[in-house]
Amino acid sequence: MASRLSVRLRATLAATAIVAVALGVAAAVLVGVLTGSLARSASNEAVRRADATAKVLAGGVAVAGKPADVVSLAETTLLDPDVKILTYPAPLVSELSVRSPATTASPGEKSPGVVRDFQSGTTAQPAEVAQWAPIDDFALATMPVDAADGVLVVQARASLEPTGDALRALWGLLLPGIPALLLLVAVLTWLAVGRALAPVSAIRTEMADITASDLHRRVPVPRSRDEIARLAETMNRTLDRLELAVSRHKRFVADAAHELRSPLAILRTRLELAPPGPLAAEALTDVERIQVLTSDLLLLARLDAAEPVCHEEVDLGQVTAEEAARSRPRPEIRVTLEVAADTVVLGSAGQLRRLVANLVDNAVRHASSAVTVRLATDGGEAVLDVCDDGPGIPAEHHEAVFDRFTRLDEARDRDAGGSGLGLAIARDIAVRHGGSLRIAGEDRGACLQARFPVI
């Protein structure tokens, strides 16, 4: 599935995933650091409050005109509502001394000592004295203060609510902010990769349009001197070598076909002047076949060389009628004409004549008894149908018959079959005249249909 995704989409997904992981880690670290920092600040505040109260008690400062050792719990909390004072007997001094001044505990935690109400002079367990409301969002600090008959323990608390508010505000920014940032990264990456790959699309489009007949075309080279520009330059150099090789091949075929025409003509003349006999007749037939093949190769070389087509008005109906009426090796085959008058196209009369001749020759070669040649106009096009009542062309060979030197198994006979170039030449001529040539559907036999734009 991943191989079907485009490079642009894969790059966008990869960049978005990397940024998502980075933002997730950064957000987790930020929340952790901020939580620890705010918790430490609350603990320090609780320690500060406990230390301030401890200094008041150690200095003997009176509250409301009373000495420190007779200050009641309720009066002491007037100094700070988040501070409590407890007293412990002497045996517990060593146990309390090991607790850190910044020790934190939940508000509901009970100290192991007893609480003395100095105003009444009685002692009680901590559970019998008014306690703070059991709220978990507090940092607690405990600090002992030496007294005559024991130890005074100062408990101070600091609210963690500001910490929660700060974290909620942070999450309020991160939850919508991270998806929005990821969307922005995805959009920018999509646009940036698309812009970077635009030259690749241009190169691919140009390469898809280059065929053997227009190897002179080259792919566009982007201005940026990057890997894509070097790829385009490499492809252009490859096209240069390919064009040179193809031109040499076409020139060789044209030269060979041209050089063979004169010796073949001389050989045919000598065979025609030789005493009649079966051997001379067979040799003359072979020479004629070679001449036809040479003529076809020379025409293909000119077509491959993309020689400009002579744009003249051609009466396709007249050309069709003349070529269909020409005598052929199988006179028993009846050729029926259905030609519309005044069907004029633009092109080369010689090449169009060769196209009609090749189609009719092919139909006569494979027909059982009759060939029908129809020419009509259809929506601004001239439609030429050449149909026969022969065995037909299998559907799997509808395109293969237009390849060069292709003959079906039924046409392999050396005497009856052609060279395999007739339909290839006919299609090349049709394409060069802005038309097409294909196999049309018929109930019986084969029907080849050529279309040309009319004037």
Side-chain angles (χ1 to χ4, degrees):
M1 179 64 182
S3 60
R4 298 181 181 180
L5 300 179
S6 65
V7 175
R8 189 179 188 182
L9 182 57
R10 281 183 287 174
T12 301
L13 293 177
T16 305
I18 292 173
V19 174
V21 172
L23 289 178
V25 173
V29 172
L30 177 62
V31 171
V33 171
L34 182 60
T35 301
S37 177
L38 294 176
R40 285 192 298 271
S41 298
S43 299
N44 293 337
E45 177 63 19
V47 171
R48 186 193 64 78
R49 293 177 179 178
D51 184 66
T53 304
K55 289 180 179 179
V56 171
L57 295 176
V61 178
V63 177
K66 298 180 181 181
D69 56 351
V70 295
V71 175
S72 67
L73 177 62
E75 290 175 333
T76 304
T77 56
L78 293 177
L79 296 173
D80 192 334
D82 292 324
V83 176
K84 290 198 307 182
I85 303 173
L86 301 91
T87 183
Y88 290 81
L92 297 176
V93 172
S94 59
E95 179 183 350
L96 290 171
S97 63
V98 300
R99 298 187 65 178
S100 171
T103 300
T104 60
S106 63
E109 182 182 5
K110 299 179 181 179
S111 301
V114 296
V115 177
R116 172 178 294 175
D117 188 340
F118 289 96
Q119 190 172 16
S120 60
T122 61
T123 62
Q125 296 297 327
E128 301 176 8
V129 182
Q131 299 291 320
W132 285 320
I135 303 175
D136 294 336
D137 293 336
F138 285 94
L140 299 182
T142 302
M143 184 171 293
V145 179
D146 293 335
D149 56 349
V151 175
L152 295 177
V153 177
V154 179
Q155 275 191 348
R157 68 179 182 179
S159 177
L160 292 176
E161 186 176 355
T163 301
D165 294 339
L167 291 177
R168 283 189 292 272
L170 178 61
W171 281 115
L173 292 176
L174 292 179
L175 290 180
I178 290 180
L181 185 57
L182 290 178
L183 179 60
L184 179 62
V185 169
V187 171
L188 293 180
T189 304
W190 178 268
L191 295 177
V193 175
R195 184 174 181 179
L197 294 179
V200 177
S201 299
I203 293 173
R204 181 188 60 81
T205 302
E206 186 67 20
M207 283 296 297
D209 293 338
I210 294 177
T211 61
S213 60
D214 52 5
L215 289 175
H216 61 279
R217 297 171 59 177
R218 296 294 179 267
V219 299
V221 179
R223 297 180 180 178
S224 58
R225 311 308 299 173
D226 54 6
E227 290 80 2
I228 297 179
R230 290 193 288 273
L231 173 63
E233 293 172 351
T234 302
M235 295 180 70
N236 284 336
R237 288 194 293 269
T238 302
L239 288 174
D240 290 338
R241 294 192 294 270
L242 182 61
E243 182 185 16
L244 180 60
V246 172
S247 63
R248 287 178 177 175
H249 171 71
K250 292 177 181 178
R251 188 164 53 250
F252 167 77
V253 173
D255 293 344
H258 180 74
E259 293 298 327
L260 284 173
R261 297 180 72 178
S262 296
L264 288 174
I266 296 174
L267 180 60
R268 178 174 181 175
T269 302
R270 289 179 178 176
L271 288 174
E272 290 175 348
L273 296 177
L279 185 61
E282 292 179 1
L284 184 59
T285 301
D286 291 337
V287 169
E288 290 177 352
R289 182 179 289 110
I290 295 175
Q291 281 186 311
V292 172
L293 178 59
T294 303
S295 177
D296 289 344
L297 289 176
L298 188 59
L299 177 58
L300 280 175
R302 290 199 299 266
L303 293 175
D304 290 341
E307 293 181 356
V309 179
C310 180
H311 292 288
E312 59 182 2
E313 294 184 0
V314 179
D315 189 345
L316 188 58
Q318 180 181 354
V319 171
T320 302
E322 292 175 355
E323 288 300 319
R326 185 169 53 86
S327 62
R328 285 175 171 80
R330 299 183 65 188
E332 72 276 9
I333 301 300
R334 184 179 72 259
V335 179
T336 304
L337 286 176
E338 300 176 7
V339 178
D342 298 330
T343 304
V344 181
V345 298
L346 206 62
S348 169
Q351 292 186 7
L352 291 174
R353 188 179 299 276
R354 184 62 179 273
L355 179 145
V356 176
N358 286 1
L359 294 182
V360 176
D361 289 343
N362 179 80
V364 169
R365 184 180 300 114
H366 297 92
S368 298
S369 60
V371 172
T372 302
V373 180
R374 291 189 297 266
L375 178 63
T377 57
D378 179 21
E381 288 185 326
V383 181
L384 174 63
D385 292 324
V386 180
C387 307
D388 63 74
D389 59 352
I393 301 174
E396 62 270 17
H397 297 301
H398 277 190
E399 285 299 322
V401 295
F402 295 106
D403 296 336
R404 297 177 181 181
F405 296 103
T406 298
R407 290 181 295 177
L408 302 183
D409 293 338
E410 293 81 358
R412 291 292 183 184
D413 181 70
R414 186 170 179 266
D415 294 328
S419 63
L421 294 176
L423 295 183
I425 293 174
R427 171 170 275 189
D428 286 348
I429 292 174
V431 172
R432 286 179 56 80
H433 283 76
S436 62
L437 177 62
R438 65 182 184 88
I439 305 294
E442 281 289 322
D443 296 336
R444 183 170 180 266
C447 184
L448 284 85
Q449 184 180 90
R451 287 178 173 268
F452 304 94
V454 297
I455 298 178

